[in-house]
Amino acid sequence: MLGVQRPPQGRLDFESVRVLGTKASAIDWRNVDGVNWLGAVMNQGNCGSCVAFATVATLEARTSIAQGAPWLRPSF
């Protein structure tokens, strides 16, 4: 909160993601082995803040993926 930046801990291993024995060129996080890692779509109303909503949704999804917890569903 005072500007201290901590280095990230751990790493995501995309090398283990395979599609029919080959490396995946894309991952659909809505269905990875039947698990949806993404949160619900938020209603931005009439304010035109689609970029802000998309950015926050990305952070929420990356938090769930990084924690390895699809049930986490953070709401920033």
Side-chain angles (χ1 to χ4, degrees), residues 13-14 16-19 24 26-38 61-62 64-65 68-71 73:
D13 179 20
F14 291 106
S16 62
V17 178
R18 306 280 180 193
V19 175
I27 299 172
D28 184 356
W29 289 105
R30 294 171 296 171
N31 184 3
V32 177
D33 295 329
V35 177
N36 181 5
W37 291 82
L38 306 181
R62 296 301 298 156
S64 291
I65 294 165
W71 60 89
R73 303 281 191 250

Side-chain angles (χ1 to χ4, degrees), residues 49-62 76:
S49 58
C50 54
V51 173
F53 272 79
T55 302
V56 171
T58 301
L59 291 172
E60 292 171 349
R62 296 301 298 156
F76 301 146

